[in-house]
Amino acid sequence: MTIRILGDPVLREKSERATKFDENLHTFIKNLTEIMYRDDGVGLAAPQVGILKRVFVFDDGEGSKAIINPEIIETSAEMTEIEEGCLSIPDVYANVIRPKWVRMVYQDENGEGHEKIFDNYSGRIVQHESDHLNGILFIDRISNAKKILLKPKLNAIKRKSAT
Ligand code: CO
């Protein structure tokens, strides 16, 4: 599995719900986690390796977790501005404003359901990764001024991705 880079159309697709919590899923989660650590990421979503399933892994500093079929059911009114990056958009960082916390329902790798509030850093990661499952990238959520500034760099990444 290789990381898909900006310009690859798979990053813009909407992923399908995962329905089988079997050995294949467990192997996939293991591989996804390995790639995340290898590339020094704090999160990695299935579409970033070309698999259109609603699955992501992350590590907020307390060990890796796998999140399956996440739904954000509540967001805080309070917003925070935090710098984000993405393994699919190498060497690009920008401030993004998002809710400070989210309440999310999801399944674990065994299909068991959970409901949890993700706050601060973990809240930020799960929002970024959930976006990937809907074909949304963090550069879609930055200010227009910053978008204009980053455009040459993003275009260069897209050109490289196409070759
Ligand atoms: Co990302």
Side-chain angles (χ1 to χ4, degrees):
M1 296 197 298
T2 54
I3 293 194
R4 305 303 184 90
I5 302 299
L6 180 69
D8 189 321
V10 78
L11 293 172
R12 293 310 197 169
E13 299 279 325
K14 193 168 154 62
S15 292
E16 304 275 338
R17 286 178 69 83
T19 51
K20 286 191 199 142
F21 297 83
D22 56 7
E23 198 54 43
N24 283 340
L25 179 71
H26 297 165
T27 305
F28 176 66
I29 287 168
K30 193 169 156 275
N31 292 337
L32 203 57
T33 306
E34 273 174 19
I35 295 171
M36 173 181 76
Y37 287 134
R38 185 196 66 196
D39 288 12
D40 289 323
V42 293
L44 188 62
Q48 292 183 272
V49 294
I51 305 294
L52 289 170
K53 288 277 176 214
R54 303 187 81 78
V55 175
F56 68 77
V57 295
F58 77 102
D59 185 345
D60 58 3
E62 299 196 348
S64 71
K65 284 184 202 72
I67 302 284
I68 325 291
N69 300 326
E71 302 282 348
I72 291 170
I73 56 167
E74 188 185 355
T75 57
S76 63
E78 189 184 343
M79 308 293 276
T80 51
E81 186 169 8
I82 300 178
E83 188 177 69
E84 294 188 24
C86 181
L87 292 179
S88 294
I89 315 174
D91 303 318
V92 171
Y93 301 91
N95 284 349
V96 184
I97 298 169
R98 298 186 193 259
K100 184 175 178 292
W101 59 259
V102 296
R103 186 189 300 275
M104 203 168 75
V105 292
Y106 62 97
Q107 285 166 288
D108 61 27
E109 58 269 42
N110 299 314
E112 199 168 313
H114 300 269
E115 181 179 324
K116 191 170 158 31
I117 288 178
F118 292 92
D119 196 1
N120 295 317
Y121 188 48
S122 60
R124 180 53 61 125
I125 301 171
V126 302
Q127 290 180 77
H128 175 118
E129 301 308 329
S130 295
D131 269 354
H132 274 300
L133 309 182
N134 296 319
I136 298 167
L137 302 173
F138 82 94
I139 51 169
D140 303 338
R141 298 192 181 279
I142 63 180
S143 70
N144 282 330
K146 186 75 184 179
K147 250 179 229 172
I148 291 163
L149 280 176
L150 282 178
K151 202 160 194 223
K153 205 168 177 183
L154 297 176
N155 285 340
I157 293 170
K158 284 185 202 165
R159 273 197 303 276
K160 212 173 151 200
S161 172
T163 59

